[in-house]
């Protein structure tokens, strides 16, 4: 059952880590290809050299193993694997998995995993019996993870009780019996979980132009490519999309522009606007009927207090002064309107202090998650066909969710169509849950 299967084996900081060697040997004997991802604490119990010798592969522990710009992609591992097995899994790692605390390579790999996940806990009896641990295990089960129950026996503390990791041969046998059935169930469940059929999604895209006079305006470099990619991705998953587009030269793909080209996916209703005020009015109107909104537009924060009705002539030698007034904050207003059954997603394009600024915006505007990108990432953002993002979510008042209550997942640079798929995966999972 395991011949040719690709298994990611996660190892955490437990005395039971020595048993991982026996798990590897059994997996390899059955024809599996094994890739180790180990936590920093795990390396205190067993060395990467030993693990690499058994798997014939370099052991992955850190995001960056060298200083030459190369890095380990947790997303690629999630796509590569047929299954992920975490054995031994400590109480600390269980807590991080259950709450999305992505602070090491193992957790980010788990959060990116497209295949079934099997967890073999190992800890002292009191830690295992603690209500927090049991709650985390129950939550992980509800996510579709498979828990391989620990056994009762003699523990490293000298005590006896439940918490001893299941024996390696039985873990591998369990994996062997379940992996094919679970893979089929997981694929079906994942497909359904990531669909958006019958959902109504509102998306804003592109810049806004704020008139100075009939021929001049205040604007920005947004092309609208990211917003359009998001709209098309939602529609392909069956959603009814309202796309509120600022002044851009983009057209939707033919399958969405031409009604008769519809191939069973959802539809996109495009509303063209120019100014922030126009986008605000359209967004407020349509958000009331939406299941979710993605605010991808680069909206001008200010507009001229008065727009001249005729072209302003140059006065030789004189300065020109524009008095600007604030535009309405669309995200903040929708955040106040948001019902419990709605989701609101924002974007943060930053040039400095990216994490801090994104966290402030997340909380201030009552967003469910925020997509962060930076102008410091060359070849991304404005007018580019590629983007590099991080998805940040969490309750800033909940200190259990990670640093300052925040969960962050980083993605590599990729085409905006693929970035859109990553963002909509996150949205669909939340909507369908």
């Amino acid at each position: 059952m395991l011949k040719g299967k690709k298994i990611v084996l996660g190892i955490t900081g437990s005395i039971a880590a020595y048993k991982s060697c026996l798990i590897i040997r059994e997996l390899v004997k059955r024809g599996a290809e094994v890739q180790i991802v180990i936590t920093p604490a795990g390396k205190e119990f067993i060395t990467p050299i030993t693990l690499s010798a058994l798997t014939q592969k370099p052991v992955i522990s850190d995001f960056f193993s060298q200083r030459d710009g190369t890095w380990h992609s947790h997303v690629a591992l999630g796509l590569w694997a047929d299954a992920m097995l975490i054995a031994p899994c400590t109480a600390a790692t269980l807590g991080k998995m259950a709450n999305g605390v992505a602070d090491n390579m193992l957790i980010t790999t788990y959060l990116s995993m497209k295949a079934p996940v099997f967890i073999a806990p190992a800890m002292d009896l009191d830690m295992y019996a603690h209500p927090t641990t049991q709650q985390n295990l129950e939550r992980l089960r509800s996510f579709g993870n498979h828990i391989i129950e620990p056994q009762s026996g003699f523990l490293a503390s000298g005590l006896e009780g439940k918490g001893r990791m299941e024996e390696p041969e039985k873990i591998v046998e369990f994996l062997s019996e379940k992996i094919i059935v679970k893979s089929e169930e997981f694929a079906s469940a994942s497909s359904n979980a990531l669909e958006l059929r019958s959902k109504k999604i509102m998306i804003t895209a592109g810049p806004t132009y704020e008139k100075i006079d009939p021929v001049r305006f205040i604007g920005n470099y947004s092309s609208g490519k990211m917003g359009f990619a998001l709209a098309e991705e939602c529609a392909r998953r069956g959603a009814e999309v309202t796309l509120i587009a600022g002044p851009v030269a983009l057209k939707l793909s033919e399958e969405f522009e031409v009604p008769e080209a519809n191939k069973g996916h959802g539809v996109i209703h495009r509303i063209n606007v120019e100014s922030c005020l126009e986008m605000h009015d359209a967004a407020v109107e349509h958000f009331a009927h939406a299941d979710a909104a993605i605010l991808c537009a680069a909206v001008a924060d200010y507009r001229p207090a008065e727009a001249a009705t005729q072209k302003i002539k140059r006065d030789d030698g004189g300065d020109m002064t524009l008095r600007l007034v604030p535009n309405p904050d669309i995200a903040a207003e929708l955040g106040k309107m948001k019902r419990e059954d709605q989701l609101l997603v924002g974007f943060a394009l930053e040039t400095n202090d990216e994490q801090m600024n994104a966290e402030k915006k997340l909380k201030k505007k009552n967003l469910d998650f925020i997509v962060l990108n930076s102008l410091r990432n060359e070849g991304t953002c404005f007018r580019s066909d590629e983007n590099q993002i991080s998805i940040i979510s969490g309750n800033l008042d909940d200190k259990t969710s990670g640093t300052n209550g925040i969960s962050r997942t980083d993605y590599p640079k990729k085409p905006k169509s693929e970035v859109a798929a990553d963002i909509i995966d996150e949205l669909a999972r939340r909507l369908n849950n």
Side-chain angles (χ1 to χ4, degrees):
M1 291 295 186
L2 292 175
K3 187 174 182 179
K5 296 296 182 183
K6 299 178 177 68
I7 311 296
V8 170
L9 175 59
I11 301 173
T12 68
S14 164
I15 188 63
Y18 77 91
K19 293 184 178 182
S20 61
C21 293
L22 301 175
I23 294 174
I24 295 168
R25 186 176 68 176
E26 199 62 34
L27 288 171
V28 171
K29 188 191 299 183
R30 297 184 185 217
E33 185 179 349
V34 182
Q35 175 62 64
I36 302 296
V37 180
I38 190 169
T39 64
K43 291 190 290 185
E44 299 296 324
F45 291 88
I46 189 166
T47 69
I49 294 175
T50 301
L51 299 169
S52 180
L54 291 170
T55 62
Q56 300 297 302
K57 286 178 175 291
V59 171
I60 297 174
S61 178
D62 302 309
F63 295 102
F64 309 99
S65 58
Q66 303 179 54
R67 297 186 180 276
D68 60 0
T70 59
W71 67 299
H72 297 301
S73 173
H74 50 92
V75 176
L77 283 171
L79 295 170
W80 173 82
D82 294 303
M84 182 177 190
L85 168 64
I86 305 173
C89 185
T90 61
T93 297
L94 283 174
K96 291 178 181 180
M97 293 168 66
N99 293 283
V101 182
D103 66 348
N104 63 46
M105 187 66 186
L106 190 151
I107 302 299
T108 55
T109 301
Y110 161 69
L111 292 173
S112 301
M113 188 55 55
K114 302 291 187 183
V117 177
F118 299 81
I119 304 166
M123 65 199 73
D124 209 63
L125 72 161
D126 294 318
M127 294 177 71
Y128 183 74
H130 197 280
T132 302
T133 303
Q134 292 302 311
Q135 185 178 27
N136 287 333
L137 284 167
E138 193 56 41
R139 191 174 192 192
L140 288 168
R141 283 191 186 94
S142 74
F143 295 161
N145 298 299
H146 232 56
I147 308 298
I148 304 173
E149 288 286 336
Q151 299 303 305
S152 295
F154 186 74
L155 303 170
S157 64
L159 302 174
E160 286 194 44
K162 189 169 184 178
R164 180 185 177 94
M165 188 178 80
E166 179 63 276
E167 293 304 313
E169 296 82 357
K170 292 187 178 180
I171 290 174
V172 175
E173 188 61 38
F174 183 92
L175 191 67
S176 179
E177 291 176 356
K178 301 293 184 181
I179 187 171
I180 291 180
V181 174
K182 277 294 166 187
S183 293
E184 292 172 353
E185 292 176 354
F186 187 89
S188 175
S190 295
S191 176
N192 292 334
L194 299 180
E195 286 186 355
L196 291 171
R197 298 190 185 284
S198 79
K199 302 296 185 183
K200 294 182 178 180
I201 313 296
M202 186 193 82
I203 298 173
T204 64
T208 63
Y209 289 173
E210 311 301 326
K211 282 187 176 181
I212 297 172
D213 63 20
V215 298
R216 301 181 182 92
F217 60 86
I218 296 172
N220 57 63
Y221 297 114
S222 176
S223 64
K225 290 179 180 179
M226 191 70 252
F228 275 60
L230 288 165
E232 294 188 357
E233 182 67 22
C234 286
R236 288 192 185 96
R237 300 189 191 202
E240 180 181 346
V241 181
T242 298
L243 174 62
I244 304 173
V248 296
L250 290 179
K251 291 185 177 181
L252 293 166
S253 300
E254 184 176 329
E255 60 182 311
F256 301 106
E257 286 279 15
V258 183
E260 54 268 28
N262 188 304
K263 299 178 181 179
H265 50 58
V267 297
I268 300 176
H269 306 289
R270 179 172 176 175
I271 300 172
N272 294 318
V273 298
E274 182 175 90
S275 68
C276 172
L277 293 176
E278 292 173 352
M279 184 171 283
H280 166 271
D281 292 346
V284 168
E285 175 184 352
H286 290 279
F287 183 59
H289 310 290
D291 295 293
I294 306 174
L295 305 181
C296 187
V299 182
D301 294 323
Y302 295 88
R303 69 181 186 276
E306 296 180 0
T309 57
Q310 295 182 330
K311 179 181 176 181
I312 300 172
K313 298 295 184 180
R314 175 172 177 166
D315 183 6
D316 290 341
D319 295 334
M320 177 180 176
T321 301
L322 283 177
R323 187 171 71 87
L324 303 179
V325 296
N327 269 324
D329 188 331
I330 298 174
E333 188 159 342
L334 297 188
K336 293 176 182 177
M337 289 176 54
K338 187 178 70 169
R339 304 185 306 269
E340 288 187 1
D341 62 339
Q342 290 179 305
L343 291 179
L344 187 60
V345 180
F347 271 67
L349 174 60
E350 303 295 341
T351 59
N352 60 284
D353 300 323
E354 288 92 342
Q355 180 78 20
M356 180 183 69
N357 289 328
E359 289 182 14
K360 287 181 178 178
K361 189 172 183 179
L362 179 73
K363 182 176 182 180
K364 181 179 179 181
K365 305 193 178 184
N366 193 24
L367 304 174
D368 291 281
F369 66 88
I370 192 164
V371 180
L372 170 64
N373 48 17
S374 172
L375 282 176
R376 292 196 283 187
N377 295 327
E378 293 186 7
T380 66
C381 306
F382 288 138
R383 298 178 178 173
S384 173
D385 292 325
E386 294 185 312
N387 206 350
Q388 184 173 348
I389 67 163
S390 298
I391 292 181
I392 299 174
S393 62
N395 179 358
L396 293 178
D397 298 319
D398 177 7
K399 302 304 182 185
T400 67
S401 298
T403 304
N404 295 323
I406 288 295
S407 172
R408 171 173 172 155
T409 304
D410 298 319
Y411 296 84
K413 181 179 176 180
K414 57 178 72 173
K416 285 183 175 177
S417 58
E418 296 180 22
V419 174
D422 290 333
I423 296 168
I424 302 309
D425 280 352
E426 179 71 17
L427 177 72
R429 276 190 287 264
R430 290 169 179 258
L431 274 178
N432 291 324
N433 283 336

